[in-house]
Amino acid sequence: MVDQVAPWHAPTAPDRWLESRVGATRALVCTYAAQRCDEHFTVADTGILRAVLTGFVGQGKFVRSTFAYLGWLCGRPESDAAARAAASLELLHAFALIQDDVMDDSATRRGSATVHVQLAHWAERQRRPVGAQFGRSAAVLLSDLCLVWAERMLRESGLPAESLAKALPVYDLLRSELAVGQFSDLLNENSAAPSLNAVLDIARRKSGNYTVLRPLELGAVAAGCSPQVLAALRQYGTAIGEAFQLRDDLLGVFGDPLVTGKPLGDDLYQAKATTIVVAAGELAGDTERRELRRLTAGRPLPGVIDERWIQAWQRLIVDTGADELVEKMIAERVEAAVTTLADEPGVPSAPRAALTVLADRCTQRTR
Amino acid sequence: MVDQVAPWHAPTAPDRWLESRVGATRALVCTYAAQRCDEHFTVADTGILRAVLTGFVGQGKFVRSTFAYLGWLCGRPESDAAARAAASLELLHAFALIQDDVMDDSATRRGSATVHVQLAHWAERQRRPVGAQFGRSAAVLLSDLCLVWAERMLRESGLPAESLAKALPVYDLLRSELAVGQFSDLLNENSAAPSLNAVLDIARRKSGNYTVLRPLELGAVAAGCSPQVLAALRQYGTAIGEAFQLRDDLLGVFGDPLVTGKPLGDDLYQAKATTIVVAAGELAGDTERRELRRLTAGRPLPGVIDERWIQAWQRLIVDTGADELVEKMIAERVEAAVTTLADEPGVPSAPRAALTVLADRCTQRTR
């Protein structure tokens, strides 16, 4: 049974509604994670896992759960069960972030030490005779638990069986695409000189689908939306997913570490072939191409922060016009997405208003 | 709907039946894994993931799936759906082994290079400019896919909805216990001088429950077994699970690498607090205690094979009588388990015969 909650008063105030959604989702995911910790962390030394995980899941922007819930609202009224199902995506996202930080060897996330670094520090403080890989291994195990518990949260959300049966194939697809996208990303080094289209394709599979398209689709198919509405939401999701990743790539070069919570020029240090870097390569004239080769060859050693090297990269990217190109690509995608929604009469006005606000918010953000 | 297959002719030949089960399970899991690879490995470079995974899942002893299917047969007739549900545990086991080898930094498994080593070699051969962690990261992603696909295989097995609803909580418990047990194992170093009981407790949670108790329970609750039968199977499962791990610990010291597929004295090199090592410590007299300290302090550097050091350990363990103690503990558990089954009239004779054979086979094995 879908339990109906108070009707939705958002059309006049989608911003306020979105804000209260985030608060509600945070409460749901924090409570669920704490319950699972209480259930399974009963043996020695697992207290640290509880402390790290409950601290971690309460943060973030809750983008994926919001898209999933808005997908649901395109076909059905508000529902506690659907809110829980949507919130489960944040526990899945915790899995993805914890593993991503291990694989990228990132020291900070959201301005704090990453999970594997926290766990390594704990073992040091406790003077436990563990191997050098302890923090990484323990973080991967904690991420496994998030993956298992996320699926359990979705299954136990209270969604009607027929809704769940429709949602699970999308959920399986989302999780498989995520892992395959991560694998492509491991192999995605700038020195391989991929094309902008190839990099956009990875971005779509790795991040765009996972962040926007699949969550939206999951909610919409669970709610039994019509093929017309589903098609419009998929167009919106693909466009905003790409724009989201394009913004992420811009922030990876120009973002303020104090706001993004990530180190300055993180993507540059990792020599990732991001859209902005590849666009700079494609737009570069002869002089700029020489400078690009010089900067690529002169990458600082891991752990060394070289602000002049970052600033030279930023100048080069501006000189080629790559930042303007990427901004233009973002704006085109946002406009196309918003127009698609406006043109499909089957999308109810309330979720449409919120999705229109989110289209901007996801792509004009500073963190 | 549970599809009924030909009636089971095993009582006269449980050995032959078990052998044909293993063959059938191997076919099910290999086919399912290949289908998922075809579905999801469609982009560049994923061919290597397919090659590694399909090579990996066809090996092994198929212990967990066999226990799960026997649990089912304690309540219901043979069924293709139950066979598929049971086989899904082998895909879950692939997840566990791939991650375990990454965390233990093991180079070989079943006599071949481990998954992360195969993936690292592939990147080298391809001269891909990947980081030093590539093999490990790619292996973790492949293990994630196994975890997701295993659950999907269980869900899509064709088990009736009510059977699946009963099985899933056991499945969730099994997966959470596995991760928590692995975490305890990361912290389980011999230098912390744990007691034999503490080590047995970790062994039960980490390996015994995962290998015997939970698979058996999963099959039995799915089949709707009576509380009496469930209780008997749980007693059997706990005892054989412990005996399984005790044998594993003996093989970790005395096993023939050509038969076990693992390096000689692997557990000793890792300074793991296994039951056999801890038993030796508890039984040691003054002379033996000095020798034990000498060997612990003289652990060879990682990667160095020192056969004399291993042989000295083996002698010490025999001198203390720890090997005899552990053999006795195994025999006691096998006897208790077999007696429990014989005393419960609700256990059908066919699965009882097979479980009796398996009790020996799991605990008297050489690999």
Side-chain angles (χ1 to χ4, degrees):
Chain A
M1 288 295 299
V2 175
D3 35 356
Q4 302 208 0
V5 194
W8 187 38
H9 301 296
T12 53
D15 272 311
R16 265 208 309 283
W17 181 84
L18 284 168
E19 203 178 304
S20 80
R21 259 330 311 148
V22 165
T25 303
R26 180 184 291 116
L28 286 171
V29 70
C30 286
T31 304
Y32 193 84
Q35 285 168 346
R36 295 292 74 72
C37 291
D38 288 344
E39 182 179 351
H40 294 290
F41 293 160
T42 53
V43 296
D45 298 315
T46 48
I48 182 63
L49 296 180
R50 188 190 207 287
V52 170
L53 183 62
T54 52
F56 190 76
V57 294
Q59 299 170 22
K61 300 186 286 281
F62 300 93
V63 176
R64 291 150 195 89
S65 51
T66 305
F67 278 120
Y69 195 58
L70 285 169
W72 171 268
L73 291 177
C74 288
R76 301 282 287 269
E78 295 228 27
S79 136
D80 283 350
R84 284 189 292 269
S88 76
L89 290 180
E90 301 302 336
L91 209 44
L92 180 71
H93 192 45
F95 148 79
L97 294 180
I98 294 170
Q99 275 202 6
D100 195 46
D101 286 339
V102 168
M103 291 177 189
D104 288 348
D105 212 4
S106 304
T108 60
R109 153 87 58 191
R110 296 165 179 168
S112 306
T114 46
V115 166
H116 65 282
V117 169
Q118 288 185 51
L119 291 167
H121 286 168
W122 170 82
E124 268 170 44
R125 283 198 308 274
Q126 301 266 316
R127 298 175 190 276
R128 302 298 288 260
V130 292
Q133 295 284 339
F134 171 79
R136 307 165 71 91
S137 297
V140 168
L141 291 170
L142 193 56
S143 78
D144 293 341
L145 287 166
C146 290
L147 180 59
V148 169
W149 295 346
E151 179 234 317
R152 184 173 161 195
M153 188 177 185
L154 173 60
R155 243 192 301 115
E156 295 176 348
S157 62
L159 275 189
E162 55 171 340
S163 290
L164 195 58
K166 287 177 190 160
L168 284 169
V170 182
Y171 192 61
D172 286 333
L173 181 59
L174 180 157
R175 296 186 295 174
S176 296
E177 280 179 338
L178 174 63
V180 174
Q182 277 284 89
F183 175 75
S184 296
D185 203 46
L186 290 179
L187 290 166
N188 177 31
E189 275 258 345
N190 197 23
S191 57
S195 71
L196 183 54
N197 273 335
V199 174
L200 255 184
D201 185 59
I202 294 182
R204 191 182 310 117
R205 281 185 291 107
K206 186 207 160 189
S207 160
N209 284 4
Y210 165 65
T211 306
V212 190
L213 175 63
R214 299 303 176 207
L216 201 50
E217 212 175 1
L218 188 139
V221 301
C225 287
S226 71
Q228 293 77 16
V229 169
L230 265 178
L233 291 175
R234 285 189 180 122
Q235 277 188 49
Y236 169 98
T238 303
I240 298 302
E242 279 184 28
F244 178 91
Q245 185 57 42
L246 288 164
R247 174 62 59 201
D248 224 47
D249 289 352
L250 273 170
L251 290 172
V253 172
F254 295 99
D256 178 349
L258 289 177
V259 184
T260 62
K262 291 177 200 168
L264 183 69
D266 206 19
D267 287 343
L268 297 172
Y269 279 110
Q270 294 185 46
K272 286 280 174 208
T274 63
T275 50
I276 181 78
V277 167
V278 172
E282 295 199 351
L283 293 169
D286 286 348
T287 323
E288 289 145 352
R289 207 177 300 274
R290 270 195 300 279
E291 171 73 353
L292 202 150
R293 275 197 294 271
R294 189 185 71 83
L295 289 173
T296 303
R299 177 151 64 115
L301 293 171
V304 178
I305 301 289
D306 182 346
E307 292 205 13
R308 280 175 54 206
W309 183 78
I310 302 277
Q311 284 157 3
W313 258 114
Q314 292 175 334
R315 261 195 315 275
L316 173 70
I317 285 168
V318 172
D319 287 348
T320 61
D323 59 330
E324 277 181 27
L325 173 66
V326 172
E327 289 286 2
K328 189 165 153 274
M329 290 168 74
I330 294 174
E332 285 168 359
R333 281 161 178 75
V334 171
E335 203 198 323
V338 169
T339 307
T340 301
L341 283 193
D343 289 350
E344 173 45 57
V347 176
S349 61
R352 176 191 292 150
L355 287 169
T356 305
V357 168
L358 269 185
D360 269 328
R361 208 188 272 182
C362 281
T363 57
Q364 302 304 326
R365 64 205 158 86
T366 56
R367 69 181 183 109
Chain B
M1 287 297 300
V2 176
D3 35 356
Q4 299 208 2
V5 194
W8 187 37
H9 301 296
T12 53
D15 273 311
R16 266 208 307 282
W17 183 84
L18 285 167
E19 203 178 304
S20 79
R21 256 337 305 149
V22 165
T25 303
R26 180 184 292 118
L28 286 172
V29 70
C30 285
T31 303
Y32 193 84
Q35 286 169 346
R36 296 292 74 70
C37 291
D38 289 343
E39 183 179 352
H40 294 290
F41 293 160
T42 53
V43 296
D45 298 315
T46 47
I48 182 64
L49 296 180
R50 188 190 206 285
V52 170
L53 183 62
T54 52
F56 190 75
V57 294
Q59 300 171 22
K61 299 187 285 280
F62 300 93
V63 176
R64 291 149 194 89
S65 50
T66 305
F67 277 121
Y69 195 57
L70 286 168
W72 172 268
L73 292 177
C74 288
R76 300 284 286 271
E78 294 228 31
S79 136
D80 284 349
R84 284 189 292 268
S88 77
L89 290 180
E90 301 302 335
L91 208 44
L92 181 72
H93 191 46
F95 148 80
L97 293 181
I98 293 170
Q99 274 203 5
D100 195 46
D101 287 338
V102 168
M103 291 176 189
D104 288 348
D105 213 3
S106 303
T108 60
R109 151 90 55 194
R110 299 166 178 167
S112 307
T114 46
V115 166
H116 64 282
V117 169
Q118 288 184 50
L119 290 168
H121 286 168
W122 169 83
E124 268 171 43
R125 282 198 309 274
Q126 301 266 314
R127 299 175 187 277
R128 302 299 288 260
V130 294
Q133 296 283 339
F134 171 78
R136 307 167 70 92
S137 297
V140 168
L141 291 170
L142 193 56
S143 78
D144 292 341
L145 287 167
C146 290
L147 180 59
V148 168
W149 295 346
E151 179 235 319
R152 185 174 159 194
M153 188 176 183
L154 173 60
R155 243 193 300 115
E156 295 177 347
S157 61
L159 275 188
E162 58 171 337
S163 290
L164 195 58
K166 287 178 190 158
L168 283 169
V170 182
Y171 192 61
D172 287 333
L173 182 59
L174 179 158
R175 296 186 296 174
S176 296
E177 280 179 339
L178 174 64
V180 173
Q182 277 285 90
F183 176 75
S184 296
D185 203 47
L186 289 179
L187 290 166
N188 176 32
E189 274 259 345
N190 197 24
S191 57
S195 71
L196 185 54
N197 273 335
V199 174
L200 255 184
D201 185 59
I202 294 183
R204 190 182 309 118
R205 283 184 292 106
K206 186 207 160 190
S207 161
N209 284 4
Y210 166 64
T211 305
V212 190
L213 175 63
R214 299 301 177 207
L216 201 50
E217 211 174 2
L218 188 139
V221 301
C225 287
S226 71
Q228 294 77 14
V229 168
L230 265 178
L233 291 175
R234 285 189 180 120
Q235 275 188 51
Y236 169 98
T238 303
I240 298 301
E242 279 184 29
F244 178 91
Q245 185 57 42
L246 288 163
R247 173 62 58 199
D248 224 47
D249 289 353
L250 272 170
L251 290 173
V253 172
F254 295 99
D256 179 349
L258 288 178
V259 184
T260 62
K262 291 176 199 168
L264 183 71
D266 205 20
D267 287 344
L268 297 171
Y269 279 109
Q270 294 185 47
K272 286 280 173 208
T274 64
T275 49
I276 181 78
V277 167
V278 171
E282 292 197 354
L283 293 169
D286 285 349
T287 323
E288 290 145 351
R289 206 178 301 274
R290 269 195 301 279
E291 173 71 352
L292 201 151
R293 274 197 294 271
R294 190 184 70 83
L295 290 172
T296 303
R299 175 150 67 114
L301 293 172
V304 178
I305 301 289
D306 182 345
E307 290 206 12
R308 282 176 52 205
W309 183 77
I310 302 278
Q311 284 156 3
W313 257 114
Q314 292 174 336
R315 262 196 314 276
L316 173 71
I317 285 169
V318 172
D319 288 348
T320 60
D323 59 331
E324 277 180 27
L325 173 65
V326 172
E327 289 286 3
K328 186 162 156 277
M329 290 168 74
I330 293 173
E332 285 167 0
R333 280 162 178 75
V334 170
E335 202 196 325
V338 169
T339 306
T340 301
L341 283 194
D343 289 351
E344 173 46 55
V347 176
S349 61
R352 177 191 292 150
L355 287 168
T356 304
V357 169
L358 270 185
D360 269 328
R361 208 187 272 184
C362 282
T363 58
Q364 302 304 327
R365 65 205 157 87
T366 55
R367 67 181 184 111

